[in-house]
Amino acid sequence: MRFGFHFFDMTLPGGSAGLAPAIRSAARTSDEIGASWFTVMDHFFQMEQFRTAHDPMLEGYTTLGFAAGVTERVKLGTVVTGVTYRHPGILSKTVTTLDVLSEGRAFLGIGAAWYEREHLALGVPYPPLKERFERLEETLQIVLQMWSDDEGPFVGQHYQLAETISVPKPVQSPRPPIVIGGSGEKKTLRLVAQYADATNLIAPDVETVTRKLEILREHCDAVGRDYESIERTAQFRLLPGFDPDEVLRDAAAFAAAGIQHLHFGVLGPDPAGSIARFGDEVAERFSLL
């Protein structure tokens, strides 16, 4: 099993001045201990389910560019970009830029978007859920076209692009991986089967994950996709003072359910310290699961 770290708790000692050192240290430590991913949220307000909209939240792709400059191996992406936040052509160019400047370490994490308050507050259109999923599918089609040799137009219901020129191309061949986040059984997991290289599930328990993966397999069968070609990842939390044996027990249960990669959201006040301790006490045994 692989592991990665998600930097989402930005209410840290030192306020604004402390964020750059904290992110630098967490990203470097993730790199040093062999993490597969280092990710951030793509939100403009902190999630209200976690803290408040007035707590700190940095823009995602600027943060990933900063992380790219202080790391060498770890893959970089958002978990996840809401489809409403950026025009698909601009999003493709942004991820391509990250891939080029990180020397081939970017992935596109994307989903249908959900945080209504930040949309309304900042004047970002927030269409109904059905339309957001329609836009998500068109965005996936546009990104794949821009990362191909086809520079022709794209004409969809919601987006029209006269030319899908993207130069330079990504460093990764044939393109950066696409990770679709979410657990919706009818739409999200169908899009995973049709377009994605990986699924990132919200994993409250093993039973839920088992059911979601069974449904993903059914969608793969329906569209003629090899289920085993999709990396199965799930989100988890790494609390300060975590019990290494408990982390390993939980990871083993998720591995038995079919998860290949656990992605740990690291809580403050010392994210890099928690990541370093994971490296010392968990990482070697984790890789054997």
Side-chain angles (χ1 to χ4, degrees), residues 163-175:
E163 299 177 278
T164 51
I165 296 171
S166 184
V167 182
K169 293 296 184 186
V171 170
Q172 291 182 82
S173 180
R175 55 171 174 75

Side-chain angles (χ1 to χ4, degrees), residues 134-250:
E134 292 170 353
R135 289 178 177 270
L136 176 57
E137 184 158 16
E138 286 190 19
T139 295
L140 291 164
Q141 294 167 353
I142 290 166
V143 166
L144 288 170
Q145 182 168 324
M146 290 190 68
W147 286 340
S148 74
D149 294 328
D150 182 357
E151 295 185 345
F154 178 90
V155 181
Q157 179 182 355
H158 301 287
Y159 301 111
Q160 296 80 43
L161 285 69
E163 299 177 278
T164 51
I165 296 171
S166 184
V167 182
K169 293 296 184 186
V171 170
Q172 291 182 82
S173 180
R175 55 171 174 75
I178 295 171
V179 181
I180 295 179
S183 302
E185 296 177 0
K186 293 182 179 180
K187 294 183 179 180
T188 301
L189 294 179
R190 177 188 66 80
L191 292 175
V192 171
Q194 194 163 353
Y195 296 103
D197 302 288
T199 181
N200 189 244
L201 298 173
I202 299 170
D205 53 63
V206 171
E207 291 74 20
T208 300
V209 166
T210 300
R211 184 178 76 253
K212 300 295 183 182
L213 292 181
E214 288 172 354
I215 292 167
L216 176 59
R217 188 185 292 274
E218 292 171 3
H219 283 301
C220 287
D221 291 342
V223 301
R225 176 76 182 274
D226 178 9
Y227 170 80
E228 294 298 335
S229 71
I230 297 172
E231 183 179 19
R232 282 94 66 189
T233 80
Q235 294 177 248
F236 218 64
R237 290 281 175 92
L238 192 68
L239 301 174
F242 63 88
D243 179 344
D245 292 330
E246 183 178 353
V247 170
L248 286 161
R249 283 195 300 271
D250 290 338

Side-chain angles (χ1 to χ4, degrees), residues 8 19 32 37 45 64 71 77-78 83 96 101 111 119 121 151-152 154 159 176-177 181 185 229-230 235 243 271 283:
F8 75 105
L19 280 170
E32 290 165 358
W37 288 0
F45 293 175
L64 291 173
T71 56
T78 63
V83 71
T96 298
L101 296 183
H119 287 78
E151 295 185 345
F154 178 90
Y159 301 111
E185 296 177 0
S229 71
I230 297 172
Q235 294 177 248
D243 179 344

